[in-house]
Amino acid sequence: MDRSSVTRGRAPLVAAALAGGLLVGFAVAFHLDEESRRRLRKAFFELQELPFRVLV
Amino acid sequence: MAEQYDVIVVGAGVSGLTAACLLSKQGMRVVVLERLERLGGCCSNYDVRGFRPEVGAIFVIGHEFYYKLFELLDLRLEDYLDWKVIDPVYYVYFEDGSAYPLPRDIDAMAEVVRSISPEDVDGYYRYCRDMGKLFDVYLAFLRRPLPALQDLTSIAKLARLAANRELLYAIPVNLKLLFRNMDRCVRGYFRHPRIQLMFGWENLYAGLPAHRCTGLFTAMAHFGRMGYYYPRGGMIAIPTALARIAEGLGAEIRLGAEVKSLIVKGGEARGVRLADGTALTSRAVVSTAHSRVTYLKLVGEENLPSWAVRTIRRQPCSIPAPLIHMGLSRKLEGIGAHMSLVANPREQVDNIWEDYYDRGLLYRPADGAYLLVCPTFDDPGLAPAGKDVLSVFYIAPYRLRYHDWDRIAVDWAWEVVRFLDHRCLPGLADAVEWLDSVPPTELERRLNVAEGAFFGIEMSLTNMGPFRPNYRSRLVPRLYLAGQCTNPGLGVPGAMISGVADAAIILNDWTRRLG
């Protein structure tokens, strides 16, 4: 296994960690309540799904 | 080997039957396969001891659309359906016991608004003016002659059909409504909480709380003024008329024929396999089932890429619309309209939505909001003489955190009945002769809709337009989708439009893709 395939294999993990960090960062920075955090999570989820939905 | 049929339609709901009518008219060999022993799917009535409650759909908005569909078939609507306009549009029961009819006439409605909140009358007329512009677009569109069926896939021809002066006038209102949520739109017109509630509860049809629902649904209350219609004989009269036409044009309709799976050869849909093992082959398959059922059960996960399985499984369903059907031994005095809304203050209803999304909790019956439907108000023939049918729609999560729907459904229904008896319909509990509680899980079993959501996929902006499953499947060639999960979604006309679109697309694909 060369270096590039190792990097590719870890890409989803890195992306998930970044998205999670962004979410936590938003929540902490803006003192979001539970409802707002839920809406933010939902918005991130929807954004991530949009390109796939177009292809179904 | 030659195929047995040109097109197999899975599901005898209004979308499937519309497609079957139009394709048969083009001379195609069409068979419609229905799992149940009755027509209509979610737009139907069932019969228990002479009581015939609605299965799902309860009215249609604006019957002009149906005239247009019948024009495509070169038939006269009057020969098949007899409409009755619903007036008053609703009856609203508030928490303090007061009740108001919402008449169809705009000036009479203004008087109702004045009796509750005089300062909202101006807002009401402003609301009517704005929403009237949207209705004018709809009417202008319908007044124009439709192009031939195969031309309905041409974006240029559709745009020419839609382009009119009314559309130009309505663009600012359209944009305002599209990008604001319904809650904000309603508050922009009305100040009094009760008036806001009267004009702002149709988000229920979108399956979303008002703060997440597109403002376009604000127009629904006004469209009610323009005309909610009910076919004589119940909603099943619509699929029955379509089935009669389809059979007259040569289509075959088989009831009690459950499709177990699609026959997928070389990645293409080439027919269906029935529950009894029979295989039927065709050049194209139209599935009107929920997209999750079509792809994950009928096509099978093994025939789909893993990203598609994940996407289909994750696409959010609309809310389930659980029901309580009742046969009443006598006519109740308190029922003042075909449809009634049992309303609670806005904050209380918002709590229900939070429970629904976050906690999977079932509320106390007194905290809920209910839509009561009494089809016998407009058509007494749907119950034995002197008796009534009453159905109660409510909001409830598909999965309950602490309960099992199958165990609590009947007890819960009786609690709701006792609450309604106490709140607005005295004598209801004693008059119940027969009761059928249909929670989301039972709805899923009866109608084969994922999570009991007969509104299909959620009607939020990220699940509308290009983000709903395509009419022509991009995953399985020769498979076409119709029904509530496709565009435009929402209601009987929406389902029928998807049937028309499928027929037009198949006709265009016939030589290029389906040869």
Side-chain angles (χ1 to χ4, degrees):
Chain A
M1 192 184 282
D2 63 12
R3 181 185 283 254
S4 64
S5 64
V6 171
T7 314
R8 261 204 307 276
R10 285 180 187 161
L13 288 177
V14 173
L18 279 176
L22 212 59
L23 206 68
V24 173
F26 260 115
V28 171
F30 296 105
H31 305 290
L32 298 180
D33 58 16
E34 180 58 36
E35 171 63 12
S36 310
R37 259 182 278 167
R38 193 184 63 74
R39 284 191 203 177
L40 199 64
R41 266 201 307 273
K42 167 95 177 155
F44 267 104
F45 170 77
E46 291 289 304
L47 208 61
Q48 179 194 326
E49 290 290 303
L50 287 184
F52 298 106
R53 282 181 192 158
V54 175
L55 298 173
V56 171
Chain B
M1 194 180 78
E3 291 86 1
Q4 289 160 285
Y5 296 97
D6 290 327
V7 180
I8 292 176
V9 179
V10 182
V14 285
S15 57
L17 289 168
T18 303
C21 286
L22 293 168
L23 292 170
S24 303
K25 190 169 166 53
Q26 301 295 325
M28 294 188 188
R29 293 165 298 157
V30 180
V31 63
V32 183
L33 305 168
E34 171 57 51
R35 186 176 67 99
L36 301 173
E37 291 293 346
R38 58 171 169 72
L39 293 165
C42 297
C43 176
S44 191
N45 294 65
Y46 70 110
D47 192 327
V48 179
R49 288 189 266 153
F51 295 105
R52 296 172 58 205
E54 250 89 51
V55 169
I58 48 178
F59 63 86
V60 299
I61 300 177
H63 62 346
E64 296 86 355
F65 166 77
Y66 298 83
Y67 282 94
K68 214 67 196 169
L69 175 70
F70 275 65
E71 257 176 46
L72 273 177
L73 293 163
D74 294 327
L75 295 168
R76 273 165 35 91
L77 180 78
E78 298 85 344
D79 297 337
Y80 294 87
L81 286 165
D82 180 13
W83 300 103
K84 190 171 190 305
V85 64
I86 297 176
D87 193 11
V89 186
Y90 290 105
Y91 216 79
V92 181
Y93 301 97
F94 287 109
E95 71 279 9
D96 63 355
S98 57
Y100 297 88
L102 306 191
R104 191 168 163 241
D105 180 72
I106 288 177
D107 292 325
M109 184 62 212
E111 287 310 309
V112 175
V113 173
R114 193 188 308 279
S115 69
I116 298 172
S117 166
E119 72 267 25
D120 276 327
V121 174
D122 286 345
Y124 172 65
Y125 280 115
R126 194 158 48 87
Y127 165 83
C128 288
R129 207 172 44 242
D130 282 356
M131 302 306 141
K133 286 178 189 166
L134 297 187
F135 200 72
D136 288 345
V137 175
Y138 172 69
L139 285 183
F141 182 81
L142 289 180
R143 276 190 207 119
R144 292 190 164 191
L146 282 181
L149 183 60
Q150 56 267 40
D151 290 337
L152 285 175
T153 53
S154 154
I155 291 175
K157 286 193 178 167
L158 279 179
R160 224 177 359 256
L161 190 69
N164 53 50
R165 197 188 305 160
E166 287 80 0
L167 184 68
L168 206 66
Y169 292 153
I171 285 174
V173 183
N174 254 315
L175 290 178
K176 188 169 83 179
L177 295 180
L178 185 64
F179 293 106
R180 283 185 187 171
N181 66 47
M182 187 171 167
D183 192 39
R184 200 173 152 204
C185 289
V186 172
R187 282 174 201 272
Y189 290 109
F190 307 108
R191 290 184 209 155
H192 196 286
R194 283 195 173 177
I195 307 290
Q196 288 175 357
L197 215 133
M198 279 177 168
F199 288 88
W201 68 271
E202 271 90 354
N203 57 299
L204 190 74
Y205 296 129
L208 291 166
H211 65 261
R212 281 190 54 212
C213 179
T214 163
L216 286 172
F217 278 81
T218 316
M220 274 194 79
H222 185 69
F223 281 22
R225 307 267 105 64
M226 299 293 115
Y228 281 2
Y229 291 84
Y230 187 71
R232 204 172 294 281
M235 294 302 287
I236 198 172
I238 300 173
T240 305
L242 292 172
R244 209 175 112 202
I245 296 166
E247 284 182 321
L249 291 166
E252 189 185 329
I253 296 174
R254 294 196 202 172
L255 298 179
E258 185 181 357
V259 173
K260 209 70 191 161
S261 61
L262 258 61
I263 298 170
V264 182
K265 272 187 195 159
E268 295 185 329
R270 302 307 301 245
V272 300
R273 200 172 301 283
L274 302 183
D276 64 7
T278 315
L280 302 174
T281 56
S282 64
R283 284 167 77 177
V285 177
V286 174
S287 174
T288 65
H290 193 288
S291 54
R292 272 194 215 172
V293 176
T294 300
Y295 281 119
L296 305 184
K297 281 192 187 168
L298 300 184
V299 172
E301 293 183 23
E302 66 280 8
N303 293 311
L304 298 168
S306 58
W307 64 264
V309 172
R310 204 171 50 238
T311 304
I312 293 160
R313 196 173 278 147
R314 282 174 171 184
Q315 192 152 26
C317 286
S318 177
I319 54 160
L323 290 145
I324 302 165
H325 297 299
M326 285 171 270
L328 307 182
S329 59
R330 59 190 166 83
K331 293 200 175 286
L332 288 185
E333 291 284 317
I335 299 176
H338 188 113
M339 294 182 285
S340 312
L341 180 68
V342 181
N344 269 326
R346 203 53 181 267
E347 304 72 43
Q348 213 163 316
V349 179
D350 285 348
N351 282 340
I352 294 177
W353 284 107
E354 277 180 32
D355 280 349
Y356 171 77
Y357 279 115
D358 295 340
R359 300 189 274 270
L361 298 178
L362 197 56
Y363 41 88
R364 290 182 313 132
D367 295 336
Y370 304 93
L371 178 66
L372 313 184
V373 180
C374 178
T376 39
F377 189 85
D378 280 320
D379 187 350
L382 294 171
K387 300 186 178 185
D388 256 344
V389 170
L390 187 69
S391 299
V392 181
F393 285 76
Y394 57 97
I395 307 164
Y398 172 66
R399 286 185 193 85
L400 295 176
R401 183 172 285 185
Y402 300 114
H403 297 102
D404 175 0
W405 266 123
D406 291 337
R407 287 188 183 182
I408 64 161
V410 176
D411 292 341
W412 159 258
W414 276 105
E415 276 187 54
V416 172
V417 169
R418 282 191 283 273
F419 161 69
L420 294 174
D421 183 310
H422 172 71
R423 168 88 168 263
C424 54
L425 296 175
L428 174 67
D430 290 337
V432 175
E433 185 178 312
W434 158 82
L435 182 141
D436 183 18
S437 181
V438 192
T441 45
E442 180 62 16
L443 211 55
E444 185 175 34
R445 281 192 289 268
R446 286 190 193 178
L447 298 176
N448 205 15
V449 288
E451 298 186 9
F454 62 58
F455 292 117
I457 285 168
E458 187 179 277
M459 287 293 287
S460 54
L461 276 181
T462 50
N463 289 288
M464 285 163 76
F467 308 119
R468 282 179 105 69
N470 283 291
Y471 291 131
R472 183 199 290 125
S473 172
R474 293 203 172 141
L475 300 168
V476 185
R478 295 175 185 269
L479 172 64
Y480 297 81
L481 274 74
Q484 295 280 15
C485 286
T486 55
N487 277 306
L490 202 74
V492 181
M496 288 170 107
I497 288 171
S498 69
V500 175
D502 268 13
I505 295 168
I506 289 174
L507 205 57
N508 275 306
D509 287 354
W510 199 245
T511 45
R512 284 186 300 135
R513 294 174 191 248
L514 301 171

